[in-house]
């Protein structure tokens, strides 16, 4: 099967061409391999069982090939192949991806990581008890028995008084099923508190924005679909550094003739290789999207049919209370309040957002132009069939209630964003705004890939929500080569006829007796300091460099940590956070323990490729030891390997061809038998919106109280344009995720220090000259919360008025201080009402002076 109906024929990358043809593996396998057409007309293949990984070379004499998944929180989750010699990992390469030839990926971080992880001076080798002040770094070695006894004694005292006063805080250090979930699962077994991490982590704005309009927090076109695009806008996403496995598809799309535009305040790595970099003032992306919509609608170029069929555009909105008009049995009913629903959950364990008030109290209503009457909102098929014709615009009175369409509200919201005003807010020439709008709508199709860079702001749902709405207005949602995508799109699994059992055997793992008390992470500081909503008398930190990666580190050190009675940190490394803990326990890394990653359509496995360093243990082993002393050992009676065997031990057809020795032990990856290794686009045929209305929902009823029912642009929390703060601290300070590390995990890595051995402050020459600063000077960056001393990198690759550093660097590398001293934790009422505040890490004002 070929993609001749698209313009993709010209120069597809080799692996793309191979999709749907007889690959080597399919040839070997023969009858088991089938091909079916995907929605894109791309060929797809069923990898079936994994044959011996075809592209990997055999191990040399005296060497053993091992496999792992890189489980750091980088979006790629690469399959790695390692080489062990004399019990040591000596080499790491990309591992094969069964069913998707040419997709293997790895990076310098994971390749050089083995140097650091086998360095006993870098690792926490033994359980350690603090002997000096918190933060002093003075610890003594103790035995595992001593450590667990001491922790259990403290924990049992807290549990006896109030189980919810014990907190288990797991961030993203290891995304493996066992490592990631063990601490929070333990919290459930004892009825303690855990935290819905995505808010404080600063990724929740994307989830909220996506959930508002699509009803679900993720959703992306497979990046191979950009071969169908004529234009690709990469918006606040530095994919060249932050999602390397995807980058090849952008390059292929570009070679294939698609224009690639990057919107970013910095000429990031992705901008450097794009056709055009559109520099934008940070925190202004919703204004740009509103301006583009205004131009598109103003020129009557919006996708009217799609808006009417697939979005809430024709839905009637009551003029009196701003709610959707609802009818029961043909009569208008009053707006109900208070109904809410749980979302499927954000990155951690938790519900991401709730639904709209009164969602179930009647039928939504449109105005039918054929009959001149208000009728229940029809589905897309009825509209396409011509039996009803919803009005896109207009004011109507229904049963005495004055209404307007949701689309008219959107038009009103866009109207102030003239080219001039948009250009002024965003710092972009109005002609460029106009050209961008024109190119976007004329591309037919144009895809947008959104990144977290634009949503670490106050009112953080606005960027994703508004940009996605722009894509809907342009008619690009659900269209090959289009979309407004967030996170990695992947191949899928096909429904197995007549089979309803679960793919994985997670039942025992999910059976925890009690339940954890799940609290929004935006509340973690107030919990510690003012016991709102729960006290924190005992804190278990795992998978988290809490101080280094959460906002306002001085506040954490001076207010939050002193308010917590007892802190345990479980980590492979001596982090900033570990140094502020009372007991530090040595965790082992993904090369040293068993684990599973469900990266559908692949099941990927970790297993001890080398002996754990020192006395380090896996998180499951550690929780199991603690369980014995806290009365919940019945939930923790399996070894790591036994858990994994149970997870994959169901009779689901996914495992038809599964062979433990071959797929887990030898290859570390299994291409599921129920999988389609195809390219996917989301919301094809206008189907699949998971909102209450079942449509693309740009009108959010629960935000009426905040005047944000339709997409808006709100000024930043720390506004550089005016006010006292701006006078004192005139520069916007943003961060970005770095090619040299994934958060704090590859820091202190000798091989990477060769590339760059200190963090740098990017600054435009205009700002540097105004302050008498030269390239390479040491400067002090400050605001009221703290400061850092750092060397300056003067570059035209960042807009004037904004400075930037990579996040993730630890205090060891700063001349003084750390970037996290400058960030803040400010509660946003609208976000708390919808779900929870997202850390506005990139909504920060500073001043820079020569040190
Ligand atoms: N190498 C590496 N890869 C990673 C990670 C890592 O630490 N290292 N972390 C992973 C994780 S957890 C995440 S969440 C993702 C994040 O990855 P991305 O989504 O790429 O996010 P960032 O790197 O934060 O920012 C992307 C770009 O947005 C720009 N930016 C900043 N503010 C604004 C703004 O207001 N508007 C616009 N348009 N652009 C802005 C920044 O300059 C940056 O170049 O990366 C993942 N991948
Ligand atoms: N200022 C600012 N702050 C940010 C960001 C930003 O852009 N700017 N980005 C934010 C984002 S998007 C994210 S996702 C977060 C990430 O924040 P974190 O998840 O805290 O980041 P990591 O550095 O990966 O820290 C995880 C810790 O887990 C440890 N670890 C690794 N493997 C294991 C294991 O198997 N078991 C245990 N117990 N521990 C292990 C690591 O050594 C590390 O210390 O940071 C957020 N913080
Ligand atoms: S750090 Fe990211 S890109 Fe590198 S190997 Fe790990 S998952 Fe892949
Ligand atoms: Mo993240």
């Amino acid at each position: 099967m070929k993609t001749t109906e698209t313009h993709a024929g010209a120069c597809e990358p080799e692996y793309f061409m191979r999709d749907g043809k007889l690959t080597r593996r399919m040839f070997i396998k023969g009858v088991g391999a089938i091909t079916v057409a995907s929605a894109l007309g791309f060929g797809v293949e069923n990898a079936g069982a994994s044959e011996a990984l075809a592209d990997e070379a055999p191990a040399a004499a005296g060497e053993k090939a091992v496999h792992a998944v890189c489980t750091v929180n980088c979006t790629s989750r690469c399959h790695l192949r390692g080489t062990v010699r004399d019990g040591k990992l000596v080499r790491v390469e990309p591992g094969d991806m069964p069913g998707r030839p040419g997709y293997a990926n790895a990076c310098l971080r994971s390749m050089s990581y083995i140097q650091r992880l086998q360095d006993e001076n870098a690792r926490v080798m033994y359980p350690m008890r603090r002997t000096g002040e918190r933060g002093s770094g003075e610890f003594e070695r103790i035995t595992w028995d001593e450590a667990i006894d001491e922790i259990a004694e403290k924990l049992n005292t807290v549990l006896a008084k109030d189980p919810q006063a014990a907190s288990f805080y797991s961030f993203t250090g290891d995304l493996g099923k066992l490592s990631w979930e063990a601490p929070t699962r333990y919290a459930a077994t004892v009825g303690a508190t855990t935290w819905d991490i995505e808010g404080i982590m600063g990724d929740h704005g994307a989830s909220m924005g996506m959930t508002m309009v699509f009803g679900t927090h993720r959703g992306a076109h497979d990046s191979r679909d950009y071969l169908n695009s004529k234009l690709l806008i990469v918006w606040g996403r530095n994919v060249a550094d932050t999602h390397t496995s995807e980058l090849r598809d952008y390059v292929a799309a570009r070679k294939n003739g698609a224009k690639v535009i990057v919107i970013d305040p910095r000429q990031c790595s992705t901008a450097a290789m794009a056709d055009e970099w559109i520099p934008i003032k940070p925190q202004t992306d919703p204004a740009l999207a509103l301006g583009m919509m205004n131009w598109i609608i103003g020129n009557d170029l919006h996708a009217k049919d799609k808006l009417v069929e697939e979005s809430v555009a024709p839905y009637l909105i009551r003029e009196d209370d701003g709610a959707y008009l609802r009818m029961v049995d043909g009569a208008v009913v009053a707006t109900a309040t208070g109904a809410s629903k749980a979302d499927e959950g954000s990155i951690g364990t938790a519900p991401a957002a709730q639904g709209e008030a009164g969602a179930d109290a009647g039928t939504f209503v449109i105005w039918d132009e054929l009959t001149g009457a208000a009728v229940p909102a029809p589905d897309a098929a009825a509209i396409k069939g011509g039996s009803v014709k919803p009005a896109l615009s207009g004011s109507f009175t229904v049963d005495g209630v004055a209404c307007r369409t949701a689309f008219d509200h959107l038009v009103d919201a866009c109207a102030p964003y003239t080219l001039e005003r948009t250009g002024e807010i965003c710092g972009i020439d109005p002609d460029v705004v106009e050209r961008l709008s024109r190119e976007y709508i004329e591309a037919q199709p144009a895809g947008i890939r959104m990144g977290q860079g634009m949503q670490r702001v106050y009112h953080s749902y606005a960027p994703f929500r508004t940009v996605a709405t722009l894509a809907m207005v342009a008619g690009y949602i659900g269209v090959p080569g289009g979309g407004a995508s967030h996170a990695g799109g992947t191949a899928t699994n096909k429904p197995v006829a007549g089979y309803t059992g679960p793919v994985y055997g997670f039942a025992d793992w999910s059976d925890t007796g009690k339940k954890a008390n799940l609290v929004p992470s935006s509340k973690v500081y107030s919990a510690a300091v003012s016991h709102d909503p729960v006290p924190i008398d005992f804190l278990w930190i795992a998978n988290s460099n809490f101080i280094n990666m959460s906002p306002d580190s001085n506040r954490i050190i001076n207010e939050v940590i002193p308010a917590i009675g007892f802190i345990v940190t479980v980590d492979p490394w001596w982090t900033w956070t570990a140094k502020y803990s009372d007991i530090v326990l040595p965790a082992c890394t993904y090369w040293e323990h068993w684990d599973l990653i469900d990266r559908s359509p692949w099941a990927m496995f970790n297993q001890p490729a080398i002996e754990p360093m020192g006395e380090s243990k896996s998180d499951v082993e550690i929780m199991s030891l603690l369980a014995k002393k806290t009365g919940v050992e019945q939930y923790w009676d399996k070894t790591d390997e036994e858990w994994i065997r149970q997870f994959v031990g169901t009779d689901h057809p996914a495992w038809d061809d599964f062979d433990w020795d071959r797929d887990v032990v030898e290859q570390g990856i299994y291409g599921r038998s129920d999988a389609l290794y195809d390219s996917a686009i989301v919301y094809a045929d206008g189907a699949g919106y998971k909102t209450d209305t079942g449509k693309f929902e740009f009108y959010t009823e629960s935000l009426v109280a905040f005047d944000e029912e339709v997409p808006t642009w709100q000024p930043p929390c720390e506004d550089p344009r005016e006010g006292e703060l701006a006078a004192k601290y005139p520069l916007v300070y943003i961060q970005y995720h770095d090619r040299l590390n994934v958060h704090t995990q590859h820091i202190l890595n000798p091989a990477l220090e060769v590339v760059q051995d200190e963090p740098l402050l990017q600054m435009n020459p205009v700002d540097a000259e105004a302050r008498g600063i030269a390239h390479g000077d040491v400067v002090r960056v400050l605001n009221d919360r703290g400061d850092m001393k750092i060397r300056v990198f003067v570059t035209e690759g960042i807009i004037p008025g904004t400075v930037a550093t990579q996040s993730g660097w630890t205090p060891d590398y700063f001349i003084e201080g750390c970037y996290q001293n400058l960030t803040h934790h400010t509660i946003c009422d609208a976000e708390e009402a919808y779900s929870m505040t997202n850390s506005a890490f990139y909504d920060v004002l500073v001043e820079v002076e020569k040190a």
Side-chain angles (χ1 to χ4, degrees):
M1 258 166 247
K2 290 178 99 179
T3 58
T4 41
E5 61 272 44
T6 74
H7 77 305
C11 65
E12 292 155 345
E14 189 201 3
Y15 75 90
F16 184 77
M17 292 291 287
R18 281 199 278 165
D19 267 6
K21 293 188 177 175
L22 279 186
T23 64
R24 182 165 154 205
R25 191 161 309 118
M26 293 170 72
F27 184 68
I28 296 168
K29 193 162 162 42
V31 287
I34 53 160
T35 56
V36 276
S38 75
L40 292 174
F42 292 178
V44 298
E45 71 180 71
N46 179 340
S50 317
E51 300 298 328
L53 297 179
D55 298 340
E56 292 183 4
E63 294 186 339
K64 186 175 143 211
V66 290
H67 290 87
V69 200
C70 180
T71 48
V72 300
N73 183 16
C74 157
T75 8
S76 292
R77 288 171 299 166
C78 300
H79 176 215
L80 304 177
R81 173 211 155 102
T83 301
V84 171
R85 196 190 304 138
D86 299 330
K88 283 206 126 195
L89 269 164
V90 294
R91 194 164 58 245
V92 170
E93 296 155 276
D96 271 4
M97 301 303 289
R100 194 162 167 185
Y103 190 52
N105 191 61
C107 70
L108 281 179
R109 298 178 292 270
S110 60
M111 291 173 181
S112 57
Y113 185 60
I114 55 172
Q115 202 175 359
R116 185 181 181 217
L117 83 85
Q118 296 175 111
D119 176 359
E120 58 182 49
N121 294 316
R123 293 285 294 267
V124 179
M125 297 288 282
Y126 313 103
M128 305 292 281
R129 178 197 288 132
R130 182 170 60 80
T131 53
E133 291 288 296
R134 276 186 179 161
S136 66
E138 290 164 28
F139 285 84
E140 63 181 359
R141 179 177 170 183
I142 52 175
T143 65
W144 269 105
D145 281 347
E146 285 172 311
I148 295 294
D149 282 348
E150 189 172 330
I151 295 165
E153 194 194 317
K154 302 271 185 202
L155 179 57
N156 280 326
T157 310
V158 175
L159 291 176
K161 207 175 87 202
D162 174 8
Q164 298 191 348
S167 264
F168 289 77
Y169 193 83
S170 180
F171 241 46
T172 69
D174 185 321
L175 302 185
K177 175 87 181 165
L178 293 180
S179 284
W180 201 17
E181 294 180 12
T184 42
R185 177 174 190 269
Y186 175 87
T189 57
V190 295
T193 293
T194 56
W195 299 86
D196 183 354
I197 59 177
E198 213 187 53
I200 199 160
M201 195 167 98
D203 287 335
H204 195 52
S207 294
M208 286 189 284
M210 293 293 285
T211 305
M212 283 174 189
V213 292
F214 293 113
T216 183
H217 64 293
R218 299 277 185 273
H221 288 223
D222 187 304
S223 42
R224 286 176 290 177
D225 176 46
Y226 296 134
L227 284 173
N228 292 319
S229 308
K230 301 258 174 56
L231 171 68
L232 173 60
I233 301 182
V234 187
W235 205 319
R237 177 167 162 88
N238 186 10
V239 62
D241 290 346
T242 58
H243 201 159
T244 53
S245 59
E246 219 180 80
L247 181 67
R248 64 198 69 187
D249 295 325
Y250 294 51
V251 174
R254 190 167 171 268
K255 270 194 184 165
N256 191 42
K259 179 173 181 180
V260 178
I261 296 178
V262 172
I263 301 176
D264 196 307
R266 299 183 315 117
Q267 192 181 28
C268 62
S269 312
T270 315
M273 51 182 287
D275 294 286
E276 185 175 359
W277 166 42
I278 298 186
I280 187 171
K281 283 189 189 167
Q283 307 133 357
T284 65
D285 304 272
L288 179 56
L290 287 162
M292 290 171 73
M293 278 190 267
N294 192 42
W295 189 88
I296 289 168
I297 296 167
N299 285 285
D300 199 30
L301 295 170
H302 50 300
K304 297 174 201 70
D305 288 348
K306 197 165 186 79
L307 280 163
V308 165
E309 287 161 16
E310 295 181 28
S311 84
V312 294
Y315 282 40
L316 297 183
I317 306 294
R318 305 174 64 116
E319 293 281 74
D320 52 3
D321 61 4
Y324 284 100
L325 186 73
R326 292 183 176 81
M327 295 202 310
V328 174
D329 297 333
V332 167
V333 292
T335 308
T337 51
S340 69
K341 71 160 199 278
D343 180 71
E344 68 199 59
S346 51
I347 186 169
T349 39
Q354 88 281 50
E356 270 77 72
D360 301 312
T363 316
F364 301 100
V365 182
I366 58 99
W367 186 266
D368 180 18
E369 290 181 336
L370 295 182
T371 54
V375 299
D379 61 19
I383 303 169
K384 278 199 176 90
S387 59
V388 53
K389 190 164 184 282
L392 181 59
S393 288
S395 296
F396 310 94
T397 302
V398 185
D399 271 7
V401 180
C403 302
R404 283 195 304 149
T405 65
F407 183 70
D408 282 358
H409 284 262
L410 179 65
V411 171
D412 286 355
C414 296
Y417 292 88
T418 59
L419 295 176
E420 288 67 33
R421 179 152 188 262
T422 305
E424 190 192 321
I425 293 171
C426 303
I428 301 173
D429 187 328
D431 291 344
V432 175
V433 179
E434 180 171 29
R435 181 171 51 77
L436 177 65
S437 309
R438 186 193 308 279
E439 284 184 16
Y440 180 60
I441 196 70
E442 286 180 354
Q444 301 296 334
I448 296 179
R449 202 78 174 180
M450 301 180 286
Q452 274 108 320
M454 65 167 159
Q455 57 85 64
R456 296 202 175 93
V457 296
Y458 209 56
H459 295 277
S460 63
Y461 46 73
F464 275 59
R465 177 197 198 196
T466 314
V467 172
T469 301
L470 163 66
M472 174 48 91
V473 164
Y476 289 145
I477 300 294
V479 169
S485 294
H486 172 43
T490 57
T492 50
N493 297 304
K494 58 177 174 275
V496 179
Y499 198 90
T500 52
V503 175
Y504 289 98
F506 291 150
D508 280 359
W509 181 257
S510 306
D511 171 19
T512 51
K514 296 180 183 162
K515 275 200 158 86
N517 171 42
L518 184 69
V519 180
S521 53
S522 56
K523 298 262 167 50
V524 68
Y525 299 2
S526 68
V529 175
S530 44
H531 299 185
D532 170 27
V534 283
I536 307 182
D537 294 336
F538 172 102
L539 178 62
W540 181 278
I541 299 175
N543 294 309
S544 168
N545 196 344
F546 179 47
I547 305 177
N548 222 126
M549 298 316 286
S550 309
D552 200 349
S553 45
N554 281 325
R555 183 163 163 202
I556 300 180
I557 288 170
N558 297 324
E559 292 175 32
V560 176
I561 287 193
I564 301 171
F566 192 72
I567 302 175
V568 179
T569 289
V570 187
D571 206 292
W573 320 102
W574 278 107
T575 62
W576 198 4
T577 310
K579 287 178 192 148
Y580 276 85
S581 309
D582 302 305
I583 299 261
V584 178
L585 300 176
C588 50
T589 65
Y590 60 77
W591 284 110
E592 299 167 302
H593 65 73
W594 284 96
D595 221 325
L596 163 77
I597 283 260
D598 169 25
R599 185 182 160 192
S600 191
W602 299 282
M604 301 163 79
F605 302 91
N606 286 336
Q607 58 198 299
I610 53 169
E611 286 291 313
M613 290 287 286
E615 291 181 2
S616 63
K617 292 185 190 298
S618 75
D619 290 80
V620 167
E621 284 178 279
I622 297 171
M623 300 330 301
S624 302
L625 288 176
L626 190 62
K628 281 206 184 87
K629 304 276 177 172
T630 48
V632 288
E633 63 268 48
Q634 71 271 30
Y635 297 106
W636 294 94
D637 58 356
K638 288 182 202 37
T639 64
D640 296 45
E641 183 181 345
E642 285 165 353
W643 281 118
I644 301 296
R645 284 187 184 270
Q646 195 182 66
F647 293 166
V648 301
T650 71
D651 58 4
H652 190 283
W655 307 101
D656 273 357
D657 235 338
F658 178 70
D659 180 291
W660 177 272
D661 288 336
R662 182 193 60 197
D663 299 315
V664 179
V665 180
E666 280 169 40
Q667 301 184 172
I669 187 164
Y670 174 66
R672 281 166 48 177
S673 302
D674 63 332
L676 294 176
Y677 296 82
D678 64 346
S679 301
I681 65 168
V682 279
Y683 310 110
D685 305 321
Y689 301 109
K690 298 203 176 64
T691 52
D692 288 331
T693 54
K695 305 268 178 165
F696 182 96
E697 224 174 275
F698 60 75
Y699 192 95
T700 308
E701 203 171 49
S702 64
L703 291 179
V704 170
F706 299 91
D707 281 338
E708 291 188 53
E709 60 276 8
V710 285
T712 60
W713 172 71
Q714 304 287 327
C717 174
E718 303 207 339
D719 194 342
R721 295 169 311 153
E722 56 193 10
E724 261 175 54
L725 198 67
K728 206 168 157 195
Y729 303 117
L731 297 169
V732 177
Y733 170 51
I734 60 171
Q735 304 98 56
Y736 56 98
H737 290 207
D738 189 14
R739 67 196 158 141
L740 283 176
N741 51 15
V742 172
H743 313 298
T744 63
Q745 297 225 37
H746 305 89
I747 229 75
L748 292 166
N749 199 338
L752 295 180
E753 282 178 2
V754 174
V755 182
Q756 189 178 333
D757 63 359
E758 63 178 334
L760 297 167
L761 183 81
Q762 298 178 348
M763 187 178 224
N764 188 277
V766 171
D767 296 321
E769 274 158 33
R771 291 166 177 77
I773 293 167
H775 185 68
D777 276 356
V778 173
V779 294
R780 192 163 156 253
V781 185
L782 69 152
N783 60 23
D784 286 342
R785 292 175 291 274
D787 62 358
M788 64 179 176
K789 239 189 220 175
I790 185 172
R791 205 173 295 281
V792 161
F793 192 93
V794 175
T795 170
E796 299 270 1
I798 186 162
I799 59 165
T802 296
V803 291
T805 60
Q806 303 109 326
S807 64
W809 289 85
T810 65
D812 316 271
Y813 281 87
F814 286 84
I815 299 167
E816 256 175 55
C818 183
Y819 66 95
Q820 210 66 278
N821 296 352
L822 298 157
T823 55
H824 61 89
H825 183 51
T826 308
I827 294 295
C828 174
D829 292 339
E831 293 185 357
E832 288 294 321
Y834 187 78
S835 168
M836 64 178 148
T837 301
N838 188 50
S839 293
F841 287 118
Y842 301 1
D843 188 333
V844 171
L845 288 181
V846 296
E847 179 53 294
V848 178
E849 52 190 41
K850 211 168 158 173

